Amino acid sequence: ECLGPFELSRRGFADAHAALSAVNQGLQMQLVEQRKVAQVRSDVIGMVSHEMRTPLTSIHGSLNLLKAGMGGALNGDGQRLLEVACRNSERLVRLVNDVLDLERLESGTMTFNMRPCALKPLLEDAVEANGAYAVPSAVTLVLGPVPPGARVRVDSDQFMQVMANLLSNAVKFSPPGGTVEIEAQRGPGRVKVSVIDHGPGVPAEFAGRIFQKFAQAETLCERIGS
């Protein structure tokens, strides 16, 4: 009789342990399945992105040749349509590159060639490289003063990609005839680079999702249309 409570307690511990083991096994199986699904998703996205990048690059290159007059002169309407096609092909190429970069980051295979670089030439190159994108919108890219002798440790190619994303987005939401300013300020042990446009800004309801993958705010035109 004295051992009765002890036996009940031991049986209770055994039952609890068995229940926890079953729950743990179930969670492990769910985790394995989630990893399999994530891997399949990653493989599909990577494959589709790789397959898309080659023809997109070819299309974009061909459109640029047409813009350069290789296919003969175009009338005004044809030139405008060609400009639209070029801008959209540029966006698609950037989107595919962004997807590939995201997959590399998530898989841990992204490599960075970090080295000290003078900041002012990087920003000048970014303005020059994206200036043509701003022309159809009559938007001007303006580079402000850069701290003398400022150097940053970056992967220059990835830095230019980031600047292209920021500048193209700033141009997209700028009013016609507006300006986009690029500024640089030196701080303690760092340099802050800012891209400033004069568009409608980020909607308050979207601010909490701005850094989520592929998140995109509703544009003013879409709001009016709805």
Side-chain angles (χ1 to χ4, degrees):
E1 291 179 359
C2 294
L3 294 176
F6 173 74
E7 290 294 335
L8 290 175
S9 298
R10 187 173 66 174
R11 189 179 305 119
F13 279 122
D15 291 344
H17 178 72
L20 289 174
S21 296
V23 171
N24 184 52
Q25 185 176 7
L27 291 175
Q28 287 181 345
M29 292 178 63
Q30 290 181 12
L31 182 59
V32 170
E33 289 300 319
Q34 289 175 357
R35 286 175 177 171
K36 288 181 179 178
V37 171
Q39 184 60 50
V40 170
R41 177 187 62 83
S42 177
D43 291 343
V44 170
I45 292 176
M47 179 183 68
V48 171
S49 300
H50 277 291
E51 292 298 323
M52 289 177 62
R53 184 162 60 172
T54 298
L56 278 175
T57 302
S58 176
I59 291 170
H60 181 57
S62 298
L63 291 172
N64 279 328
L65 290 176
L66 289 175
K67 282 180 62 179
M70 296 294 290
L74 295 174
N75 59 26
D77 290 339
Q79 191 64 37
R80 282 192 294 273
L81 289 172
L82 183 58
E83 292 288 345
V84 171
C86 283
R87 291 200 300 272
N88 286 329
S89 69
E90 288 174 359
R91 293 192 187 102
L92 284 173
V93 170
R94 284 199 299 270
L95 177 60
V96 170
N97 288 333
D98 288 346
V99 170
L100 289 173
D101 287 345
L102 182 61
E103 289 302 311
R104 293 192 196 100
L105 284 170
E106 291 186 338
S107 64
T109 58
M110 187 78 171
T111 58
F112 296 94
N113 180 24
M114 306 292 286
R115 59 188 181 86
C117 300
L119 179 60
K120 187 174 182 179
L122 282 177
L123 296 179
E124 289 173 341
D125 288 347
V127 170
E128 182 179 2
N130 293 276
Y133 180 81
V135 170
S137 302
V139 174
T140 304
L141 304 183
V142 178
L143 177 60
V146 179
R151 295 177 67 81
V152 290
R153 187 172 180 271
V154 296
D155 181 316
S156 57
D157 290 337
Q158 294 299 327
F159 179 85
M160 294 296 289
Q161 181 64 41
V162 170
M163 291 299 298
N165 291 343
L166 292 173
L167 290 172
S168 62
N169 193 69
V171 169
K172 177 181 177 181
F173 291 100
S174 292
T179 59
V180 173
E181 293 96 23
I182 301 92
E183 297 181 354
Q185 297 91 27
R186 193 192 300 272
R190 64 186 180 90
V191 177
K192 177 183 177 182
V193 176
S194 303
V195 175
I196 304 167
D197 65 63
H198 301 279
V202 178
E205 64 273 16
F206 179 73
R209 298 188 292 117
I210 192 169
F211 292 113
Q212 293 179 7
K213 291 189 299 185
F214 307 120
Q216 186 171 359
E218 186 182 47
T219 65
L220 181 60
C221 292
E222 290 171 339
R223 291 181 181 180
I224 295 174
S226 60

